[in-house]
Amino acid sequence: EMIKLAMATDKAVVSLNKATGAGTQFVAEIASMSPRMSAANVSVGELGKTYGSLITKFLAFNKLNDQQRAGIIETTSILSELGVGLDTTSDNFNILMTSFKMTSEEAGRFQREMLVIAQESLIPPDVMAEGFKDALPQLAAFGKQATSVYAKLAVNAKAASMSTQEVLKITEKFDRFDTAADSVGKLNAILGGPYLSTTKMIRQTDPTERIRMLSDAAADAGKSFDSMQYFERKSWP
């Protein structure tokens, strides 16, 4: 078994070196991590692929200390076993630690929490993780609150049978006064009354709350925003 492990480790290192040129740098780490990760059903070959993804996608990975890298490798590998793509997790570690200045522990905790939320809400884990990366341009304005905003957004988008991007495309109309005023004016004309306020829609920056306000306005007018199809919703405000 020791010989098999040594041969598998050597093969993983060679593959990693071909892919990134950094295989020899992590020989000792891969060897020390493999027994620990084997308990989580992660093979040495899969461990090597995890290193390859993080080295390629997470620009500061090489600069982290051994303990930080070990935590990130463990989280990325286990999430991969549970359905989240290696590159998606690597990209998100890069985003969370570089753009949002999170520690490796905070970034790992958030990604594990996203997995739990995805499982509880019957959202495919990779869709949940990819959605965060795709929503980053809109979420960046929330700073460190972006993670909690996204978690709530993803759950509510699922409940409304929409993707997070669909919700954001609808609600981002209310980020500027001119587009907000135009949308609110059209909406109130359709509903037949002053059910929405441009000022309130602009002041409320949380996309989930904006969707709730749209839904409430429709309900007050005897209509149902939640029952509309995506393109109906998009053209409605």
Side-chain angles (χ1 to χ4, degrees):
E1 290 301 317
M2 290 181 64
I3 292 173
K4 288 180 180 178
L5 179 59
M7 293 177 65
T9 302
D10 182 64
K11 184 177 179 180
V13 169
V14 170
S15 297
L16 179 60
N17 201 46
K18 287 180 179 178
T20 68
T24 55
Q25 181 181 346
F26 298 105
V27 174
E29 281 190 30
I30 292 175
S32 65
M33 287 285 292
S34 58
R36 173 179 170 184
M37 297 311 301
S38 178
N41 201 35
V42 177
S43 69
V44 179
E46 290 171 329
L47 189 58
K49 290 178 181 178
T50 301
Y51 270 92
S53 176
L54 285 162
I55 291 168
T56 303
K57 298 290 184 177
F58 185 9
L59 304 181
F61 182 72
N62 292 16
K63 299 177 183 179
L64 302 176
N65 61 44
D66 294 353
Q67 185 177 358
Q68 290 173 318
R69 283 200 299 269
I72 290 172
I73 285 291
E74 183 173 3
T75 295
T76 305
S77 296
I78 291 175
L79 288 179
S80 176
E81 290 296 309
L82 296 173
V84 183
L86 289 175
D87 287 351
T88 299
T89 305
S90 299
D91 278 331
N92 283 340
F93 264 116
N94 187 52
I95 291 167
L96 293 167
M97 295 180 66
T98 304
S99 300
F100 294 105
K101 307 301 180 185
M102 287 187 174
T103 64
S104 58
E105 291 81 7
E106 289 172 334
R109 187 183 310 117
F110 169 67
Q111 299 208 71
R112 291 191 296 273
E113 288 173 353
M114 279 206 298
L115 174 69
V116 173
I117 293 170
Q119 291 173 330
E120 290 176 345
S121 305
L122 301 181
I123 302 171
D126 199 45
V127 171
M128 183 79 165
E130 277 282 353
F132 174 74
K133 184 176 67 173
D134 294 341
L136 182 62
Q138 294 95 329
L139 294 174
F142 293 97
K144 279 202 170 184
Q145 296 300 314
T147 52
S148 59
V149 170
Y150 176 70
K152 183 169 67 171
L153 172 64
V155 171
N156 283 275
K158 169 69 174 180
S161 300
M162 301 169 69
S163 71
T164 54
Q165 279 300 304
E166 288 170 347
V167 172
L168 290 170
K169 283 179 182 178
I170 291 171
T171 58
E172 68 183 359
K173 296 177 182 180
F174 303 103
D175 286 338
R176 292 170 43 195
F177 186 84
D178 58 343
T179 53
D182 181 61
S183 295
V184 168
K186 290 178 180 178
L187 175 59
N188 284 335
I190 293 171
L191 295 179
Y195 291 97
L196 276 174
S197 161
T198 299
T199 303
K200 288 182 179 179
M201 291 298 291
I202 291 175
R203 285 179 178 172
Q204 179 54 261
T205 56
D206 188 319
T208 302
E209 289 303 310
R210 283 177 172 172
I211 286 293
R212 182 190 60 77
M213 292 167 72
L214 289 172
S215 183
D216 288 348
D220 290 342
K223 300 180 184 294
S224 175
F225 179 80
D226 295 334
S227 67
M228 294 180 180
Q229 298 299 314
Y230 167 62
F231 286 106
E232 291 177 317
R233 291 166 173 155
K234 189 172 181 181
S235 61
W236 188 52

mmCIF file of all heavy atoms in Angstrom, residues 196-215:
data_model
loop_
_atom_site.group_PDB
_atom_site.id
_atom_site.type_symbol
_atom_site.label_atom_id
_atom_site.label_comp_id
_atom_site.label_asym_id
_atom_site.label_seq_id
_atom_site.Cartn_x
_atom_site.Cartn_y
_atom_site.Cartn_z
ATOM 1 N N LEU A 196 -45.889 51.997 -6.127
ATOM 2 C CA LEU A 196 -44.449 52.000 -5.843
ATOM 3 C C LEU A 196 -43.904 53.410 -5.841
ATOM 4 O O LEU A 196 -44.372 54.272 -6.592
ATOM 5 C CB LEU A 196 -43.694 51.165 -6.876
ATOM 6 C CG LEU A 196 -43.615 49.650 -6.655
ATOM 7 C CD1 LEU A 196 -42.949 48.994 -7.848
ATOM 8 C CD2 LEU A 196 -42.852 49.318 -5.383
ATOM 9 N N SER A 197 -42.860 53.615 -5.028
ATOM 10 C CA SER A 197 -42.194 54.911 -4.946
ATOM 11 C C SER A 197 -40.785 54.792 -5.511
ATOM 12 O O SER A 197 -40.023 53.886 -5.127
ATOM 13 C CB SER A 197 -42.129 55.374 -3.488
ATOM 14 O OG SER A 197 -41.148 56.374 -3.318
ATOM 15 N N THR A 198 -40.432 55.687 -6.434
ATOM 16 C CA THR A 198 -39.079 55.678 -7.011
ATOM 17 C C THR A 198 -38.039 55.844 -5.920
ATOM 18 O O THR A 198 -37.024 55.131 -5.886
ATOM 19 C CB THR A 198 -38.929 56.824 -8.041
ATOM 20 O OG1 THR A 198 -39.870 56.629 -9.086
ATOM 21 C CG2 THR A 198 -37.525 56.838 -8.629
ATOM 22 N N THR A 199 -38.261 56.763 -5.007
ATOM 23 C CA THR A 199 -37.293 57.034 -3.934
ATOM 24 C C THR A 199 -37.074 55.810 -3.065
ATOM 25 O O THR A 199 -35.934 55.454 -2.731
ATOM 26 C CB THR A 199 -37.786 58.203 -3.061
ATOM 27 O OG1 THR A 199 -37.996 59.344 -3.876
ATOM 28 C CG2 THR A 199 -36.763 58.528 -1.978
ATOM 29 N N LYS A 200 -38.161 55.132 -2.695
ATOM 30 C CA LYS A 200 -38.035 53.957 -1.842
ATOM 31 C C LYS A 200 -37.316 52.815 -2.564
ATOM 32 O O LYS A 200 -36.525 52.088 -1.961
ATOM 33 C CB LYS A 200 -39.418 53.492 -1.378
ATOM 34 C CG LYS A 200 -40.064 54.411 -0.352
ATOM 35 C CD LYS A 200 -41.409 53.873 0.093
ATOM 36 C CE LYS A 200 -42.051 54.791 1.147
ATOM 37 N NZ LYS A 200 -43.378 54.287 1.564
ATOM 38 N N MET A 201 -37.591 52.659 -3.855
ATOM 39 C CA MET A 201 -36.928 51.605 -4.618
ATOM 40 C C MET A 201 -35.433 51.865 -4.734
ATOM 41 O O MET A 201 -34.623 50.934 -4.700
ATOM 42 C CB MET A 201 -37.549 51.479 -6.006
ATOM 43 C CG MET A 201 -38.971 50.917 -6.014
ATOM 44 S SD MET A 201 -39.094 49.237 -5.344
ATOM 45 C CE MET A 201 -38.243 48.285 -6.601
ATOM 46 N N ILE A 202 -35.043 53.130 -4.855
ATOM 47 C CA ILE A 202 -33.624 53.467 -4.951
ATOM 48 C C ILE A 202 -32.936 53.284 -3.599
ATOM 49 O O ILE A 202 -31.818 52.770 -3.511
ATOM 50 C CB ILE A 202 -33.437 54.907 -5.459
ATOM 51 C CG1 ILE A 202 -33.856 55.003 -6.933
ATOM 52 C CG2 ILE A 202 -31.983 55.365 -5.286
ATOM 53 C CD1 ILE A 202 -33.819 56.395 -7.493
ATOM 54 N N ARG A 203 -33.610 53.715 -2.543
ATOM 55 C CA ARG A 203 -33.019 53.621 -1.210
ATOM 56 C C ARG A 203 -32.826 52.181 -0.769
ATOM 57 O O ARG A 203 -31.890 51.866 -0.029
ATOM 58 C CB ARG A 203 -33.908 54.357 -0.202
ATOM 59 C CG ARG A 203 -33.799 55.868 -0.280
ATOM 60 C CD ARG A 203 -34.721 56.525 0.728
ATOM 61 N NE ARG A 203 -34.595 57.981 0.700
ATOM 62 C CZ ARG A 203 -35.394 58.810 1.374
ATOM 63 N NH1 ARG A 203 -36.375 58.324 2.131
ATOM 64 N NH2 ARG A 203 -35.212 60.123 1.303
ATOM 65 N N GLN A 204 -33.707 51.295 -1.212
ATOM 66 C CA GLN A 204 -33.590 49.884 -0.855
ATOM 67 C C GLN A 204 -32.631 49.212 -1.837
ATOM 68 O O GLN A 204 -32.968 48.945 -2.977
ATOM 69 C CB GLN A 204 -34.954 49.198 -0.901
ATOM 70 C CG GLN A 204 -34.920 47.710 -0.575
ATOM 71 C CD GLN A 204 -34.250 47.421 0.753
ATOM 72 O OE1 GLN A 204 -33.064 47.054 0.795
ATOM 73 N NE2 GLN A 204 -34.974 47.626 1.836
ATOM 74 N N THR A 205 -31.401 48.971 -1.399
ATOM 75 C CA THR A 205 -30.376 48.427 -2.304
ATOM 76 C C THR A 205 -30.347 46.904 -2.348
ATOM 77 O O THR A 205 -29.796 46.319 -3.278
ATOM 78 C CB THR A 205 -28.982 48.938 -1.898
ATOM 79 O OG1 THR A 205 -28.730 48.590 -0.525
ATOM 80 C CG2 THR A 205 -28.905 50.456 -2.060
ATOM 81 N N ASP A 206 -30.920 46.252 -1.356
ATOM 82 C CA ASP A 206 -30.915 44.787 -1.312
ATOM 83 C C ASP A 206 -31.821 44.252 -2.424
ATOM 84 O O ASP A 206 -33.027 44.524 -2.435
ATOM 85 C CB ASP A 206 -31.430 44.309 0.044
ATOM 86 C CG ASP A 206 -31.258 42.804 0.236
ATOM 87 O OD1 ASP A 206 -31.493 42.052 -0.725
ATOM 88 O OD2 ASP A 206 -30.898 42.393 1.344
ATOM 89 N N PRO A 207 -31.283 43.478 -3.377
ATOM 90 C CA PRO A 207 -32.103 42.977 -4.495
ATOM 91 C C PRO A 207 -33.266 42.108 -4.052
ATOM 92 O O PRO A 207 -34.334 42.124 -4.663
ATOM 93 C CB PRO A 207 -31.106 42.194 -5.351
ATOM 94 C CG PRO A 207 -29.943 41.916 -4.468
ATOM 95 C CD PRO A 207 -29.881 43.051 -3.508
ATOM 96 N N THR A 208 -33.083 41.342 -2.974
ATOM 97 C CA THR A 208 -34.176 40.508 -2.478
ATOM 98 C C THR A 208 -35.334 41.363 -1.980
ATOM 99 O O THR A 208 -36.514 41.060 -2.232
ATOM 100 C CB THR A 208 -33.677 39.599 -1.330
ATOM 101 O OG1 THR A 208 -32.605 38.787 -1.814
ATOM 102 C CG2 THR A 208 -34.787 38.695 -0.832
ATOM 103 N N GLU A 209 -35.008 42.444 -1.282
ATOM 104 C CA GLU A 209 -36.046 43.339 -0.776
ATOM 105 C C GLU A 209 -36.747 44.083 -1.914
ATOM 106 O O GLU A 209 -37.944 44.359 -1.843
ATOM 107 C CB GLU A 209 -35.443 44.325 0.224
ATOM 108 C CG GLU A 209 -35.040 43.690 1.544
ATOM 109 C CD GLU A 209 -36.202 42.989 2.218
ATOM 110 O OE1 GLU A 209 -37.280 43.612 2.356
ATOM 111 O OE2 GLU A 209 -36.056 41.813 2.591
ATOM 112 N N ARG A 210 -35.998 44.403 -2.963
ATOM 113 C CA ARG A 210 -36.622 45.055 -4.118
ATOM 114 C C ARG A 210 -37.642 44.136 -4.778
ATOM 115 O O ARG A 210 -38.729 44.574 -5.173
ATOM 116 C CB ARG A 210 -35.548 45.477 -5.127
ATOM 117 C CG ARG A 210 -34.784 46.727 -4.725
ATOM 118 C CD ARG A 210 -33.688 47.037 -5.718
ATOM 119 N NE ARG A 210 -33.071 48.337 -5.454
ATOM 120 C CZ ARG A 210 -31.985 48.794 -6.072
ATOM 121 N NH1 ARG A 210 -31.396 48.030 -7.006
ATOM 122 N NH2 ARG A 210 -31.495 49.984 -5.782
ATOM 123 N N ILE A 211 -37.294 42.860 -4.909
ATOM 124 C CA ILE A 211 -38.239 41.899 -5.471
ATOM 125 C C ILE A 211 -39.472 41.789 -4.584
ATOM 126 O O ILE A 211 -40.609 41.696 -5.066
ATOM 127 C CB ILE A 211 -37.572 40.515 -5.642
ATOM 128 C CG1 ILE A 211 -36.595 40.545 -6.831
ATOM 129 C CG2 ILE A 211 -38.600 39.418 -5.858
ATOM 130 C CD1 ILE A 211 -37.272 40.716 -8.180
ATOM 131 N N ARG A 212 -39.263 41.800 -3.254
ATOM 132 C CA ARG A 212 -40.402 41.739 -2.334
ATOM 133 C C ARG A 212 -41.313 42.956 -2.516
ATOM 134 O O ARG A 212 -42.547 42.835 -2.508
ATOM 135 C CB ARG A 212 -39.902 41.683 -0.887
ATOM 136 C CG ARG A 212 -41.025 41.559 0.141
ATOM 137 C CD ARG A 212 -40.512 41.749 1.554
ATOM 138 N NE ARG A 212 -39.918 43.057 1.739
ATOM 139 C CZ ARG A 212 -40.619 44.175 1.898
ATOM 140 N NH1 ARG A 212 -41.938 44.158 1.863
ATOM 141 N NH2 ARG A 212 -40.000 45.332 2.072
ATOM 142 N N MET A 213 -40.700 44.138 -2.712
ATOM 143 C CA MET A 213 -41.492 45.354 -2.904
ATOM 144 C C MET A 213 -42.301 45.283 -4.201
ATOM 145 O O MET A 213 -43.463 45.706 -4.257
ATOM 146 C CB MET A 213 -40.576 46.580 -2.894
ATOM 147 C CG MET A 213 -39.964 46.855 -1.517
ATOM 148 S SD MET A 213 -38.609 48.056 -1.553
ATOM 149 C CE MET A 213 -39.504 49.577 -1.865
ATOM 150 N N LEU A 214 -41.704 44.736 -5.254
ATOM 151 C CA LEU A 214 -42.425 44.561 -6.514
ATOM 152 C C LEU A 214 -43.587 43.587 -6.335
ATOM 153 O O LEU A 214 -44.698 43.809 -6.830
ATOM 154 C CB LEU A 214 -41.479 44.044 -7.596
ATOM 155 C CG LEU A 214 -40.424 45.018 -8.133
ATOM 156 C CD1 LEU A 214 -39.452 44.284 -9.043
ATOM 157 C CD2 LEU A 214 -41.076 46.167 -8.878
ATOM 158 N N SER A 215 -43.317 42.487 -5.622
ATOM 159 C CA SER A 215 -44.347 41.483 -5.386
ATOM 160 C C SER A 215 -45.493 42.062 -4.554
ATOM 161 O O SER A 215 -46.670 41.815 -4.836
ATOM 162 C CB SER A 215 -43.729 40.274 -4.675
ATOM 163 O OG SER A 215 -44.676 39.258 -4.493
#
